[in-house]
Amino acid sequence: MIQVAVLGYGTVGSGVVEVIEKNKDMVDKKAGEELSVKYILDLRDFPGDPYESKVVHDFGQIISDEEIKIICETMGGVGAAYEFTRQALAAGKSVCTSNKELVAAHGPELIALAKENKCNYLFEASVGGGIPIIRPLNYSLTAERIEAITGILNGTTNYILSKMENEGADFDVVLKRAQEKGYAERNPEADVEGHDACRKIAILSSLMLGKNVDYRQIYTEGITKITSRDFEYAKKMNMSIKLLALSKEMGEETLAMVAPFMIEESHPLHMVNGVFNAVFVKGNMLGDSMYYGRGAGKLPTASAVVSDVIDCARHLGKVIMCFWDAQEAKMMCIDEVERKFFFRVKAGSEEKVRALFGDIEEIRLADVAEETGFVTRIMKEKEFAGLYGQIADIALGERIRLE
């Protein structure tokens, strides 16, 4: 029997216990040995819970128990979770986690520590929730040179944008509804400002390159300035607006960023709506492939954690290879990136815009006389920023990039 401990009995942690217990026959069969949850670490008590007898409050009880071979870290954050993970790996206990903050901040260090102690640090659930993407990058696509990864990596923002598009509502209205339904946190900053997606694309970029991509160096924008009017223009152009996290090799450098983009109907991510997420991967031999599903939620995320537990159980005493070194990747400044941009201005300003931007496409809405939309030619980010700064007095809303 392989004994397991779960750190944190919140949404994901309770889901991990539920998956292991409810799918016990299948989980044990695939692990090749019986798995049992021996401890659940939490500061709280859970009277009446079917697993209340397993709850402990002292991590020392877990780390000192030689029977514990695998630990599921579902606490979140980078404080106690980091310290407990380090202690566990140093003791030769494998750790499986859904904690994107910790993986993005300390991934290469913890992977190296696991390797040193002949155990494993696995984090399938940290990026796609229930969507398998880490394992395909580490196993299935090992013969590929991954050239680019583009994803919708946050279910909260995708839900909000989908509702704005379909119902013509503004951001604040849809955010409140998302909070009422439990799709958005009371403090939604990590989601709506793009920080969550930023950490996830940092993890994927690091695995793509085999080098460390520091999430703090990734250009990040959120969706708080997107309006229902922007969606009217997008519909007129047969486009949609999505918060994209993207990473691609640009010569010797790597471009990684998170921002709202207008994407055409032909784009594979155009049809990804609601709380669903997707990751679009471009390989030099396979070409394009896409991974789609629920990117968050109790049981989808817990299922991914338990899949890592099974992998660890199959490889006790053996290291599962993960190519993510501490060497820092050379990141590209977005100033040099070339693309088209959409923006809106007050009516009567069209001549000034044409004089500044030259070759530019005008977009008008039939029932809107007070403003005009424009799409630029392909130009560098820094060139656009310089010109756009000159029309700050007539610009409406925010510019949106086209992908």
Side-chain angles (χ1 to χ4, degrees), residues 92-211:
K93 302 178 190 296
S94 292
V95 177
C96 307
T97 186
S98 58
N99 188 344
K100 70 192 76 72
E101 293 178 75
L102 182 55
V103 177
H106 297 285
E109 173 195 348
L110 297 174
I111 291 167
L113 184 59
K115 184 177 180 180
E116 180 183 335
N117 291 281
K118 293 184 171 55
C119 56
N120 291 288
Y121 183 59
L122 302 185
F123 42 91
E124 180 64 70
S126 67
V127 171
I131 305 171
I133 183 60
I134 305 297
R135 199 167 276 106
L137 289 177
N138 278 339
Y139 298 159
S140 307
L141 301 176
T142 49
E144 291 286 317
R145 181 183 181 89
I146 306 301
E147 297 176 336
I149 296 175
T150 306
I152 293 173
L153 300 179
N154 184 274
T156 298
T157 51
N158 204 47
Y159 171 85
I160 292 171
L161 292 176
S162 296
K163 287 295 183 182
M164 290 176 67
E165 179 174 30
N166 295 331
E167 300 178 6
D170 273 322
F171 171 82
D172 290 339
V173 174
V174 180
L175 172 61
K176 184 177 179 181
R177 196 181 315 158
Q179 289 170 320
E180 291 169 352
K181 289 180 176 289
Y183 293 145
E185 301 288 344
R186 185 174 299 175
N187 179 1
E189 181 180 351
D191 294 322
V192 300
E193 295 294 354
H195 305 315
D196 177 80
C198 171
R199 289 182 172 90
K200 291 175 178 178
I201 196 63
I203 295 168
L204 293 179
S205 300
S206 298
L207 294 173
M208 177 181 84
L209 299 169
K211 301 176 182 179

Side-chain angles (χ1 to χ4, degrees), residues 329-362:
K330 187 176 181 181
M331 305 302 293
M332 180 180 186
C333 177
I334 69 162
D335 286 352
E336 300 302 315
V337 180
E338 296 184 329
R339 56 169 47 94
K340 293 182 178 181
F341 299 84
F342 166 82
F343 62 91
R344 299 153 43 210
V345 297
K346 298 174 184 176
S349 308
E350 294 84 359
E351 290 306 315
K352 181 176 181 179
V353 170
R354 292 192 193 94
L356 276 172
F357 285 87
D359 183 17
I360 195 165
E361 179 184 359
E362 186 176 304

Side-chain angles (χ1 to χ4, degrees), residues 303-320:
S303 176
V305 174
V306 176
S307 74
D308 281 345
V309 172
I310 292 171
D311 216 2
C312 287
R314 289 172 172 173
H315 295 88
L316 286 180
K318 299 177 182 178
V319 175
I320 300 169

